[in-house]
Amino acid sequence: MTSSYGTTLRLTLFGESHGPAVGCVLDAPPPGLPVDLGAAARHMARRAPGQAGPWSTARHEADLPEILSGLFEGRTTGTPLAAIVRNADTRSSDYAALLRAPRPGHGDLTGRIRYAGANDPRGGGHFSARVTAALAFAGALALQWLAARGIVVRARVAEIAGVADPSPVDPLGLFSDLSAKPLAAISDEAAAAMSAAIAAARADGDSVGGVVEVRAAGLPAGLGAPFFDRVETRLGAMLLSLPAVRGIEFGDGFACARRRGSENNDRPTPSPDGSPARIRRATNRAGGAEGGITTGLPVVARLAFKPTPSIAREQTTVDPETNAEVPLRVPGRHDPCVVPRAVPLVESAAAFALLDLLLASRATSLP
Amino acid sequence: MTSSYGTTLRLTLFGESHGPAVGCVLDAPPPGLPVDLGAAARHMARRAPGQAGPWSTARHEADLPEILSGLFEGRTTGTPLAAIVRNADTRSSDYAALLRAPRPGHGDLTGRIRYAGANDPRGGGHFSARVTAALAFAGALALQWLAARGIVVRARVAEIAGVADPSPVDPLGLFSDLSAKPLAAISDEAAAAMSAAIAAARADGDSVGGVVEVRAAGLPAGLGAPFFDRVETRLGAMLLSLPAVRGIEFGDGFACARRRGSENNDRPTPSPDGSPARIRRATNRAGGAEGGITTGLPVVARLAFKPTPSIAREQTTVDPETNAEVPLRVPGRHDPCVVPRAVPLVESAAAFALLDLLLASRATSLP
Amino acid sequence: MTSSYGTTLRLTLFGESHGPAVGCVLDAPPPGLPVDLGAAARHMARRAPGQAGPWSTARHEADLPEILSGLFEGRTTGTPLAAIVRNADTRSSDYAALLRAPRPGHGDLTGRIRYAGANDPRGGGHFSARVTAALAFAGALALQWLAARGIVVRARVAEIAGVADPSPVDPLGLFSDLSAKPLAAISDEAAAAMSAAIAAARADGDSVGGVVEVRAAGLPAGLGAPFFDRVETRLGAMLLSLPAVRGIEFGDGFACARRRGSENNDRPTPSPDGSPARIRRATNRAGGAEGGITTGLPVVARLAFKPTPSIAREQTTVDPETNAEVPLRVPGRHDPCVVPRAVPLVESAAAFALLDLLLASRATSLP
Amino acid sequence: MTSSYGTTLRLTLFGESHGPAVGCVLDAPPPGLPVDLGAAARHMARRAPGQAGPWSTARHEADLPEILSGLFEGRTTGTPLAAIVRNADTRSSDYAALLRAPRPGHGDLTGRIRYAGANDPRGGGHFSARVTAALAFAGALALQWLAARGIVVRARVAEIAGVADPSPVDPLGLFSDLSAKPLAAISDEAAAAMSAAIAAARADGDSVGGVVEVRAAGLPAGLGAPFFDRVETRLGAMLLSLPAVRGIEFGDGFACARRRGSENNDRPTPSPDGSPARIRRATNRAGGAEGGITTGLPVVARLAFKPTPSIAREQTTVDPETNAEVPLRVPGRHDPCVVPRAVPLVESAAAFALLDLLLASRATSLP
């Protein structure tokens, strides 16, 4: 079992970049939940290539999912929900030479070893970011079901190529909906500078990385556990599984390591309704979790994305057949920055992990 | 299931700070593996309180594990291995008032909500870092079994209170064994400055945080998978479960987000013996994994630890019974910095995760 | 997670009788295993309706699976293998009245409660035996991969409507390949009598049950574990999940309960090559497992199938809307006996469970 | 992972017959559940050896569990509950010769192969029925927690040595509490005949088997799922894991295979309160489950236990060192029939499986 996530609601991803389809199975959502396929498709379109902007390739993916099971008259049946997105507009010939010239920074070499040379090399096979279309779909449903319960998950571009979005965000709240923006930074100026940095890298045949911040507001206090079911563990296991992610931090993260305890603790403040479950905190340096369990404040995480390893400029690699160093110009079209398209994917991934956690928390009491 | 980790080799932690014992079950190691209990006890002693140094409390924990099952004539039987460490030298009265004055930054409030007021409040109960003694033991065995196969896992203090260990480390190699040092930094000067910063915080009734780096050398290429079984996912799910950890990064981590692709890709270099599985890289910015799968280079991660939330100086909290703000001076003895003692724990945790991954990789082929 | 099986190789089933497709995901087979799709289709055809014989309905299912992922140039890639079988020739109108007249012995009433009325009622939805087409496919691959390692799994009809197949079977061996027979009993006389009993039941608007025996020869000794990973546990969890199964016994099963120990123990006999792993037994009353672990002799199980609950003659049921008793004549076409078509399904299911066990056993040693 | 059971509430067993202790971890019960340790000890005493009766050995096990974690002020904390039972009164020397003379019908030979000769051979090691003391304890808690919700699980001896308990049992109800009886059959005459049969077997240096019936009344309708989460699957996976069990049937089980559908279907009858969830059935041939999901009627299963393989009379076995046939008289004291002591164990095991299923069912809806 290698492409499955979740304890209560289990997500399995399948598919290869140039195979018939990518897809997912959710085993199994609660019965009777409404599904808005149009909204899901719009969410997925934010992740799809072919968008306006310098960060995206010219490929076009319709990415319209076909539901194979688990949906009846617009609602979940409660049995496994399977969906696929057919692959199209693939140019296998672009990738033929890669077998002899594995791309640095990709899974070409490691995948060859792991799968004893049997994995599908076309377009990266199951390693392809194309597979995340299925994850985006699963997450789109999770986002809908959470939103119906007042839980809102939003991500933004916090940084690209060293250009940060300087916009202040209420640490106890959420930023506004950025889904209509071509590049989901709060500050339009920052977004413009980020776009320029991406365009400059592309002009150089190069790529840039960045940071995505995700915030989930509206979660009840009391989700998680002290050890391997920490909120951080569950979110981390999901978000560290996204391609190109190199690190994750919760709340103030690495900055906490340089503070004193008196500067880092979040001071509790009285509950607005007197119930202990609604005791608040004056700050949210902890990112919504203490002792691995939600405080009721927004859960906040930041993810580091590396620059796209597939770059146009020439690199050197090693031919695994001859063990000789060979020059490589990565063929095909590649985004010079994955961060803008990663924003809806991070929302999807985080929402799915939180939905699973919320469902699991139901099983901690008996009727 | 909330305190269990692992897919092939399953670790379950149990115990509370002031209960009869903390312990673990490993279900189940391969049969016939030798266990050096003396070496395990020495490893655990590095984590135990009562060490020389300003960072540790005066409490003394013998931490000698009792093996309850799974060991016969010094070797694993192949059936579940259970071990416990009895609790002693606990002062329950220190913690009695905490029910009315939950400690900021701890799981006191969130645990009360999560467990409907039924969890053991003494010393943090199952939230206590005391439970990690059992994890340190499980990891001590993992470290031994990996070392016998040429896989060495070592951690060091990379930073405390903003004081970094500046020592260069071969990116393709490992630093030397630091286990005999009271504070496991490579540079003695840095260690002295870190100790001074800890002592200064203690004198102020405060605490400091820091960063631990862990490196695992000798792993074969080909461990992991593109999605939820990534090396980063598995290590992340384990390491983010350690108390006080606020973030993790792999290889160059967040620094990658500010680089261009041409600066970040690790250039493949020929295999010393011609076999593709031993193709190397000129650098190791990726931290030993590409596409979620080991490259054969050292796996490298860095962990941010927050400053100890239990500090001597007065804080304000909220009494959950009255919803009133109340002053709090955390009673008892608390380390002003968890980082030095976290070093062997990080080694343990990483080794266990890698052992589980190594075992799981065995099941990817048929005889 | 409710429609998934397996620890190392995980099978997830999805689909509803009258939805777009039924299917499965195998996450994930070892890489490089050859797949003979023609042989798989022939195996599935043995389970499909529309066969010659009195036990089958006139519906026709082509049941040709479409592979969506995990296969490249005829071999497994090592990443998840997904396949679907499209639904066709369904008559939804047949089932419309069933919502008000739940069929006795089916999941109509219990499914309504379990899924809060949201499950797909058409043709039983995910409860439909139609879903087992996907399991038959998954098992067809398992059968191929096991056979390549000398492990052969065969099932036969042991009894229908009280008519037993009297044919002696070597307790240490296997019966011959029965897949070409229309009704897979060894004795043609018994098969004829069974067919006659089925035809008689059909003529009465009624149905009959029976017993299937499955034998797996060629397994190595040493698979399993003393408790929850017993061979019997793993096979039982799979085989008790097949629709209509009411019981399972291993080896001589319930008959053992009436014997004395001296009559029931299988006497060990020397190993043909001297290796302890090949010590044999003079008899195989245990059905190939002692202490939950394979002996190397054939693993033998017998499964009780109830008579098809959907019968043509009138029954009485309760309308859940009005709580009134109502008469019911089950519409549609239903096999008067599921046993003949269950034979290849039992082979599939057992083979999958044994393949998963064989893979898991690989992870019990370190390189 | 080989000695763990459960999806929501996970039970891990550990220990060897002649090691320091046997024990279990429950990870983790809901918080705040009361635990009556006295009642648990009384339940465990029914399973312990040393009882009055011909079926038990003279060994005495106090079997008083020590709770190591997860209990505070008499209630579950909601974190893992670990308990151990120390071993005592073991005579290792009895078993020394068994390494050269593996007992037929035991895991001596298969365990040697499975564990590469490293498992603890004393008293069967982890294969020993001694380990079930820990399962009996875990189940004792489950029985208490279920009983507090009106769910009662009771088992009886249905048959020993071919002597059946002829007592009629209301198919829609439960038999009375038999826990005070030395042999838990309803009919005292049958119990006397069973005891006589056991005594006769003992006098012959032999042993006998039997059948245990378990009934669980008070379960709500709607627990389970159509495939791998069937009530039968979950109960089966637990009950087939008990030592000496050779088969299981649900409801009328194998007898169903000889009926016609019109004789086997349970006719629905109106709900006493009009709610569909309380629609009843006129009979309970299905044993409380349709489509794998509870009907609300008692869940009924019958388990076949083989005769104790350890018998006093001489047998022949094979020395794995020399591959020579050798005579064997099994040393030590062994029950001539495991069935009487298995009754409380079956109750424990079934209760645990049903508790886990009940908890899992909570996670099928969102707040």
Side-chain angles (χ1 to χ4, degrees), chain A residues 5-364:
Chain A
Y5 174 91
T7 59
T8 300
L9 178 60
R10 190 95 186 169
L11 169 69
T12 302
L13 301 178
F14 58 85
E16 286 88 35
S17 172
H18 288 56
V22 298
C24 63
V25 186
L26 284 73
D27 181 15
L33 299 179
V35 170
D36 183 338
L37 287 174
R42 287 191 295 278
H43 176 75
M44 292 173 73
R46 294 170 58 207
R47 189 212 65 88
Q51 306 164 335
W55 54 82
S56 187
T57 72
R59 283 172 297 147
H60 178 70
E61 294 178 17
D63 271 2
L64 289 180
E66 180 192 5
I67 310 295
L68 295 176
S69 67
L71 198 68
F72 181 63
E73 297 182 346
R75 292 179 179 265
T76 55
T77 58
T79 52
L81 193 156
I84 58 174
V85 183
R86 293 273 172 189
N87 290 323
D89 185 21
T90 56
R91 304 190 195 171
S92 292
S93 58
D94 281 347
Y95 297 93
L98 287 181
L99 279 174
R100 303 297 299 271
R103 295 166 295 175
H106 274 278
D108 294 351
L109 261 174
T110 56
R112 177 196 169 101
I113 297 161
R114 165 67 173 79
Y115 296 108
N119 58 322
D120 184 346
R122 299 170 300 162
H126 190 57
F127 288 79
S128 169
R130 171 73 185 149
V131 179
T132 62
L135 176 53
F137 171 72
L141 304 192
L143 286 161
Q144 294 178 14
W145 299 331
L146 291 176
R149 284 150 187 85
I151 301 167
V152 179
V153 181
R154 285 186 188 144
R156 64 160 172 157
V157 177
E159 188 180 314
I160 283 180
V163 180
D165 181 352
S167 311
V169 177
D170 173 6
L172 309 192
L174 204 56
F175 42 78
S176 59
D177 183 357
L178 307 172
S179 62
K181 290 197 171 197
L183 193 154
I186 301 173
S187 156
D188 290 335
E189 291 73 17
M194 292 169 183
S195 288
I198 296 171
R202 163 174 277 180
D204 294 343
D206 216 331
S207 63
V208 290
V211 175
V212 172
E213 178 186 294
V214 61
R215 304 177 75 88
L219 288 163
L223 303 180
F227 283 99
F228 306 112
D229 255 355
R230 293 174 84 89
V231 177
E232 295 95 333
T233 305
R234 286 192 170 227
L235 271 173
M238 169 55 90
L239 295 169
L240 288 169
S241 297
L242 301 181
V245 170
R246 304 312 302 146
I248 188 168
E249 56 183 4
F250 295 92
D252 289 357
F254 278 84
C256 301
R258 286 165 198 159
R259 290 193 192 128
R260 285 194 162 188
S262 59
E263 299 163 335
N264 194 59
N265 288 343
D266 295 310
R267 180 170 55 82
T269 58
S271 162
D273 63 3
S275 102
R278 307 204 47 196
I279 288 174
R280 305 282 286 173
R281 307 290 187 281
T283 49
N284 188 20
R285 297 156 186 151
E290 289 175 352
I293 296 174
T294 52
T295 58
L297 270 61
V299 167
V300 183
R302 286 161 49 92
L303 288 164
F305 285 84
K306 69 175 180 181
T308 318
S310 281
I311 53 178
R313 62 196 324 181
E314 186 174 296
Q315 302 178 80
T316 300
T317 185
V318 170
D319 179 338
E321 299 298 326
T322 63
N323 201 27
E325 294 191 314
V326 291
L328 166 70
R329 283 183 185 278
V330 179
R333 298 145 298 174
H334 300 278
D335 290 0
C337 184
V338 301
V339 174
R341 287 174 54 201
V343 166
L345 184 63
V346 168
E347 291 173 348
S348 274
F352 190 91
L354 293 170
L355 175 65
D356 178 45
L357 181 62
L358 192 64
L359 276 166
S361 75
R362 302 277 293 163
T364 58

Side-chain angles (χ1 to χ4, degrees), chain A residues 1 110 114 159 204 206 224 229 232-233 241 246 248 250 258 260-262 265 271 286 290 309 315 323, chain B residues 1 110 114 159 204 206-207 224 229 232-233 241 246 248 250 258 260-262 265 271 286 290 309 315 323:
Chain A
M1 194 164 33
T110 56
R114 165 67 173 79
E159 188 180 314
D204 294 343
D206 216 331
D229 255 355
E232 295 95 333
T233 305
S241 297
R246 304 312 302 146
I248 188 168
F250 295 92
R258 286 165 198 159
R260 285 194 162 188
S262 59
N265 288 343
S271 162
E290 289 175 352
Q315 302 178 80
N323 201 27
Chain B
M1 196 165 31
T110 56
R114 165 68 173 80
E159 187 180 315
D204 293 344
D206 217 332
S207 62
D229 254 355
E232 296 93 333
T233 305
S241 296
R246 303 313 302 148
I248 188 168
F250 295 91
R258 285 164 199 158
R260 285 193 162 190
S262 59
N265 288 344
S271 162
E290 288 175 354
Q315 300 178 82
N323 202 27

Side-chain angles (χ1 to χ4, degrees), chain C residues 53 55 80 85 126 132 173 184 219 234 255 278 347-348:
Chain C
W55 54 82
V85 183
H126 190 57
T132 62
L219 289 163
R234 287 191 170 226
R278 308 207 43 199
E347 291 173 348
S348 274

Side-chain angles (χ1 to χ4, degrees), chain C residues 53-334:
Chain C
W55 54 82
S56 185
T57 73
R59 283 173 297 148
H60 179 70
E61 294 179 19
D63 272 1
L64 290 181
E66 180 192 4
I67 310 296
L68 296 177
S69 67
L71 198 68
F72 182 62
E73 297 181 345
R75 292 180 178 265
T76 55
T77 59
T79 52
L81 192 157
I84 58 173
V85 183
R86 293 274 172 189
N87 291 323
D89 184 21
T90 57
R91 303 188 195 173
S92 292
S93 58
D94 280 348
Y95 297 92
L98 287 181
L99 279 174
R100 303 297 299 272
R103 294 166 296 175
H106 274 278
D108 295 350
L109 261 174
T110 56
R112 177 195 170 104
I113 297 161
R114 165 67 173 78
Y115 296 108
N119 58 322
D120 184 347
R122 298 170 301 164
H126 190 57
F127 287 78
S128 170
R130 171 73 184 148
V131 179
T132 62
L135 176 53
F137 171 72
L141 304 193
L143 285 162
Q144 293 178 15
W145 300 331
L146 290 176
R149 283 149 188 86
I151 301 167
V152 178
V153 181
R154 285 186 189 144
R156 64 160 172 156
V157 177
E159 187 180 316
I160 283 180
V163 179
D165 181 351
S167 310
V169 177
D170 174 5
L172 309 191
L174 202 56
F175 41 78
S176 58
D177 183 357
L178 307 171
S179 63
K181 289 198 173 198
L183 193 154
I186 301 172
S187 155
D188 291 335
E189 292 72 18
M194 292 170 183
S195 288
I198 296 172
R202 164 175 275 179
D204 294 343
D206 216 331
S207 62
V208 290
V211 174
V212 172
E213 179 186 293
V214 60
R215 304 178 75 90
L219 289 163
L223 304 180
F227 284 98
F228 305 113
D229 255 355
R230 293 173 84 88
V231 178
E232 296 95 332
T233 305
R234 287 191 170 226
L235 271 173
M238 169 55 90
L239 296 169
L240 288 170
S241 297
L242 301 182
V245 170
R246 304 313 301 147
I248 188 168
E249 56 182 4
F250 295 91
D252 290 356
F254 278 85
C256 301
R258 287 167 196 155
R259 290 193 191 128
R260 286 194 162 188
S262 58
E263 299 163 335
N264 194 59
N265 288 344
D266 294 309
R267 181 169 55 82
T269 57
S271 162
D273 63 3
S275 101
R278 308 207 43 199
I279 289 174
R280 305 282 288 174
R281 307 291 186 280
T283 50
N284 188 20
R285 297 157 187 150
E290 290 175 351
I293 296 174
T294 52
T295 57
L297 269 62
V299 168
V300 183
R302 286 161 49 92
L303 288 164
F305 285 84
K306 69 176 180 180
T308 317
S310 282
I311 53 178
R313 62 197 322 179
E314 185 174 295
Q315 302 178 80
T316 301
T317 185
V318 170
D319 180 338
E321 299 300 324
T322 63
N323 201 29
E325 294 191 316
V326 291
L328 167 69
R329 282 184 185 278
V330 179
R333 295 145 299 173
H334 300 278

Side-chain angles (χ1 to χ4, degrees), chain B residues 11-350:
Chain B
L11 170 69
T12 302
L13 300 179
F14 59 85
E16 286 88 34
S17 172
H18 288 56
V22 298
C24 63
V25 186
L26 284 73
D27 182 14
L33 299 179
V35 170
D36 182 338
L37 287 174
R42 287 191 296 279
H43 177 74
M44 293 173 74
R46 293 170 58 207
R47 191 214 63 89
Q51 307 164 333
W55 54 81
S56 186
T57 71
R59 282 173 298 147
H60 178 70
E61 294 178 17
D63 271 2
L64 290 180
E66 180 192 6
I67 310 297
L68 296 176
S69 67
L71 197 70
F72 182 62
E73 297 182 346
R75 291 179 179 266
T76 56
T77 58
T79 52
L81 193 157
I84 58 174
V85 183
R86 294 273 171 187
N87 290 323
D89 186 21
T90 56
R91 303 188 195 172
S92 292
S93 57
D94 281 348
Y95 296 93
L98 287 181
L99 280 174
R100 302 299 298 273
R103 294 166 297 175
H106 275 278
D108 294 351
L109 260 174
T110 56
R112 178 195 169 104
I113 298 162
R114 165 68 173 80
Y115 296 107
N119 59 323
D120 184 346
R122 298 170 301 163
H126 190 57
F127 288 78
S128 170
R130 171 73 184 150
V131 179
T132 62
L135 175 53
F137 171 72
L141 303 193
L143 286 161
Q144 294 177 15
W145 299 331
L146 291 176
R149 284 150 188 86
I151 301 167
V152 178
V153 182
R154 285 186 189 145
R156 65 159 172 157
V157 178
E159 187 180 315
I160 282 180
V163 179
D165 181 351
S167 312
V169 177
D170 173 6
L172 309 190
L174 203 56
F175 42 78
S176 58
D177 183 356
L178 306 172
S179 62
K181 288 198 173 197
L183 194 154
I186 301 173
S187 154
D188 291 334
E189 290 74 18
M194 292 170 183
S195 288
I198 295 171
R202 163 174 276 179
D204 293 344
D206 217 332
S207 62
V208 290
V211 175
V212 172
E213 178 186 294
V214 60
R215 303 178 76 89
L219 289 163
L223 304 180
F227 284 98
F228 306 114
D229 254 355
R230 293 173 85 88
V231 177
E232 296 93 333
T233 305
R234 285 192 171 228
L235 271 173
M238 170 54 90
L239 295 170
L240 287 169
S241 296
L242 301 182
V245 169
R246 303 313 302 148
I248 188 168
E249 55 183 4
F250 295 91
D252 289 357
F254 278 84
C256 302
R258 285 164 199 158
R259 292 194 190 125
R260 285 193 162 190
S262 59
E263 300 162 335
N264 194 58
N265 288 344
D266 296 309
R267 180 169 57 81
T269 58
S271 162
D273 63 3
S275 101
R278 307 206 44 197
I279 290 174
R280 305 281 288 173
R281 308 289 187 281
T283 49
N284 189 19
R285 296 156 187 151
E290 288 175 354
I293 296 174
T294 52
T295 57
L297 271 59
V299 168
V300 183
R302 286 162 47 93
L303 288 163
F305 284 84
K306 69 176 181 181
T308 318
S310 281
I311 53 177
R313 62 196 321 180
E314 186 174 297
Q315 300 178 82
T316 300
T317 185
V318 169
D319 179 338
E321 299 298 325
T322 63
N323 202 27
E325 295 191 314
V326 290
L328 167 69
R329 282 183 184 277
V330 179
R333 296 145 300 174
H334 300 279
D335 290 1
C337 183
V338 301
V339 174
R341 287 174 53 201
V343 167
L345 184 63
V346 168
E347 291 173 348
S348 275

